């Protein structure tokens, strides 16, 4: 049986690399496009060490339309695309909105134009729970209203979903947008993980870097929110669980089991954890004491966000299986490995 060939854009990034491993484990042939703007070639080695199969790789910038066209002329046998490539730093998007609109929207448009031209019908898109803003009720279901975006980054996710929906309505394209909650953790082998550029903005990389002595202390942004311990609540999901959902979503499209041309699913655990709970859980799981202090709220933070996972559970037949402890332990193992800490 010939293996189905899947293009993974941004496949050397954090979520993409874990997904490539799961795709290869499930018998797909993978070709990665990445411009290495937020990743490195070492990731290819990590993926290969885990799955014993080197994925095909092309260093290519998806903003260059001619290069994207040329790629599809040379690769006529692609059956599906998982599109991770994007810029993802919320603060940077406020400072440089055009970079974000160009990188997150032009790349999507060029890929969809090629889908039309080449007859590729299966497209998975990385969306985000950021589209819900501060939700009116919890847990958040997929039909909760999309709120006005608070950053250009968030706006690109909303516009991308619209672009996909509109394209699906006038073509044979089938697409699933996966709205990720907060991905954390690393592969259990510590061959691949998250590599934030510069000072981490996200909680878990900041925690592991603090424990590794790279950062002096973690700032907990606010303990006066209307939550049980006063810190914000998020739905932290193990990146490997997230990666597996992509394989299932892809199989759904490939076997034409989708109910509508454009579908949306929440990917979370359904459990909300506060910042202080994550800190405590990290200390307990790893035995590392963490320096932290409570500081003022971070502008733009929503109070509490966690997923209603019923739709993904029932329709995709997918459920997050890994625990917060497994995620934090794997994140710490990865941090130790890249910092050479025994
Ligand atoms: P990442 O930065 O680790 O991975 C993105 C990859 O895309 C990188 O390897 C980067 O080099 C590549 N890339 C960026 N622009 C490119 C271009 N023009 N051409 C080719 N390659 C390009 O990010 P991630 O955390 O793995 O996120 C993957 C996707 O998931 C993104 O679309 C992101 O917005 C979305 N998402 C991430 C999170 C999260 O917390 N990590 C949450 C919600 C949604
Ligand atoms: C942020 C983005 C979101 C994006 C997501 C994944 C904002 C407003 N939202 O979500 O759009 O999809 O990242 O990339 O930026 N925290 C601390 N100290 C820290 C870091 C974080 O207390 O040093 C707290 C935050 O206040 C928050 C929680 O930890 O309550 C999680 O923060 P973070 O990892 O940045 O994710 P989000 O803010 O949920």
């Amino acid at each position: 049986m010939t293996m189905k060939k899947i293009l993974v854009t941004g496949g050397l990034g954090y979520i993409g690399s874990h997904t490539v491993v799961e795709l290869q484990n499930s018998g797909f042939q993978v070709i990665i496009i990445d411009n290495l703007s937020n990743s490195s070639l070492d990731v290819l080695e990590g993926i290969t060490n885990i799955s014993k199969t080197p994925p095909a790789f092309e260093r290519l910038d998806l903003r260059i339309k001619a290069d994207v066209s040329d790629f599809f002329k040379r690769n006529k046998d692609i059956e599906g695309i998982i599109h991770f490539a994007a810029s993802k730093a919320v603060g940077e998007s406020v400072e440089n909105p055009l970079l974000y609109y160009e990188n997150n929207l032009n790349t999507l448009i060029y890929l969809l134009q090629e889908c039309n031209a080449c007859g590729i019908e299966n497209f998975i898109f990385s969306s985000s729970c950021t589209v819900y803003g501060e939700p009116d009720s919890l847990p958040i279901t997929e039909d909760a209203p999309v709120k006005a975006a608070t950053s250009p980054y968030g706006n690109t996710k909303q516009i991308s979903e619209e672009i996909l929906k509109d394209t699906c309505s006038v073509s044979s394209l089938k697409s699933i947008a996966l709205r990720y909650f907060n991905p954390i953790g690393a592969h259990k082998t510590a061959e691949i993980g998250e590599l934030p550029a510069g000072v981490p903005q996200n909680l878990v990389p900041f925690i592991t870097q603090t424990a590794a002595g790279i950062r002096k202390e973690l700032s907990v942004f606010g303990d006066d929110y209307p939550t049980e311990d006063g810190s914000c609540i998020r739905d932290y999901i193990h990146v490997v669980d997230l990666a597996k959902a992509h394989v299932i979503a892809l199989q759904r499209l490939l076997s034409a089991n989708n109910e509508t041309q454009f579908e949306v699913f929440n990917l979370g655990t359904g459990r909300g954890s506060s910042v202080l709970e994550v800190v405590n859980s990290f200390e307990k799981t790893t035995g590392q004491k963490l320096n932290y202090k409570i500081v003022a709220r971070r502008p733009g933070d929503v109070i509490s966000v966690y997923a209603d996972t019923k739709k993904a559970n029932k329709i995709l037949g997918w459920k997050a299986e890994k625990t917060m402890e497994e995620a934090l332990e794997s994140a710490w193992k990865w941090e130790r490995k890249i910092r050479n800490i025994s």
Side-chain angles (χ1 to χ4, degrees):
M1 202 179 76
T2 53
M3 295 197 296
K4 288 191 162 59
K5 187 163 158 187
I6 306 302
L7 167 62
V8 180
T9 75
L12 296 187
Y14 175 43
I15 307 169
S17 57
H18 289 83
T19 302
V20 169
V21 165
E22 297 305 322
L23 284 168
Q24 296 200 139
N25 286 350
S26 305
F28 288 101
Q29 185 190 348
V30 174
I31 181 160
I32 295 172
I33 286 181
D34 204 298
N35 67 354
L36 304 181
S37 58
N38 199 31
S39 53
S40 85
L41 277 179
D42 297 344
V43 179
L44 264 184
E45 201 181 307
I47 294 171
T48 307
N49 288 344
I50 300 169
S51 41
K52 312 291 174 227
T53 313
F57 169 65
E58 287 221 17
R59 181 172 185 172
L60 191 151
D61 191 331
L62 291 164
R63 287 174 297 189
I64 305 172
K65 187 173 161 59
D67 288 357
V68 178
S69 283
D70 176 64
F71 171 86
F72 282 95
K73 284 199 181 75
R74 289 182 285 103
N75 292 276
K76 295 247 176 247
D77 48 351
I78 288 171
E79 298 200 32
I81 300 178
I82 307 186
H83 181 41
F84 291 103
S87 302
K88 63 163 182 176
V90 175
E92 187 187 42
S93 81
V94 175
E95 279 154 30
N96 196 348
L98 290 181
L99 173 78
Y100 275 67
Y101 287 118
E102 181 189 30
N103 202 32
N104 295 7
L105 299 180
N106 288 10
T107 57
L108 173 66
I109 292 168
Y110 299 157
L111 285 170
L112 293 179
Q113 286 171 336
E114 291 304 322
C115 286
N116 276 343
C118 307
I120 300 168
E121 296 184 338
N122 306 298
F123 197 96
I124 308 287
F125 177 71
S126 298
S127 190
S128 167
C129 67
T130 192
V131 301
Y132 298 118
E134 183 85 64
D136 301 327
S137 62
L138 289 165
I140 307 174
T141 57
E142 285 81 352
D143 51 21
V146 166
K147 296 276 178 72
T150 54
S151 71
Y153 168 75
N155 208 15
T156 67
K157 293 298 174 194
Q158 299 190 2
I159 297 170
S160 295
E161 288 195 8
E162 295 294 327
I163 291 173
L164 284 165
K165 195 164 68 185
D166 291 345
T167 309
C168 285
S169 73
V170 294
S171 69
S172 55
L173 187 78
K174 296 172 277 164
S175 178
I176 294 180
L178 298 173
R179 291 176 176 165
Y180 314 153
F181 282 66
N182 289 54
I184 59 166
H187 196 269
K188 62 175 188 238
T189 58
E191 290 285 351
I192 51 174
E194 187 170 9
L195 267 181
V199 181
Q201 304 301 307
N202 295 119
L203 178 64
V204 171
F206 207 104
I207 288 178
T208 55
Q209 288 198 9
T210 305
I214 299 158
R215 312 279 155 211
K216 202 170 114 263
E217 63 189 354
L218 168 76
S219 295
V220 172
F221 298 135
D223 69 348
D224 56 352
Y225 284 99
T227 62
E228 208 156 295
D229 64 22
S231 63
C232 290
I233 289 175
R234 297 288 182 274
D235 185 338
Y236 297 92
I237 174 166
H238 198 302
V239 67
V240 172
D241 277 332
L242 198 68
K244 287 181 175 162
H246 290 75
V247 180
I248 294 172
L250 178 71
Q251 282 162 335
R252 177 175 173 82
L253 293 184
L254 288 170
S255 52
N257 281 334
N258 51 303
E259 282 165 18
T260 52
Q261 297 276 110
F262 177 66
E263 296 180 310
V264 175
F265 292 96
N266 284 342
L267 294 184
T269 65
R271 277 186 312 276
S273 306
S274 74
V275 177
L276 291 171
E277 276 169 350
V278 177
V279 168
N280 289 337
S281 177
F282 179 82
E283 289 187 329
K284 219 159 130 193
T285 309
T286 64
Q288 297 294 310
K289 188 90 199 78
L290 202 70
N291 288 330
Y292 73 89
K293 65 170 180 204
I294 310 288
V295 301
R297 294 179 177 194
R298 178 171 71 176
D301 270 341
V302 291
I303 304 166
S304 188
V305 174
Y306 52 93
D308 186 314
T309 61
K310 277 194 220 74
K311 186 176 175 195
N313 297 163
K314 191 162 164 256
I315 297 180
L316 287 182
W318 166 90
K319 197 172 190 319
E321 283 167 354
K322 295 183 183 297
T323 61
M324 164 78 78
E325 288 70 29
E326 278 172 280
L328 293 174
E329 205 176 332
S330 65
W332 179 229
K333 186 175 175 191
W334 163 250
E335 187 74 55
R336 288 200 330 265
K337 183 187 164 193
I338 58 176
R339 311 293 169 193
N340 291 317
I341 301 169
S342 55

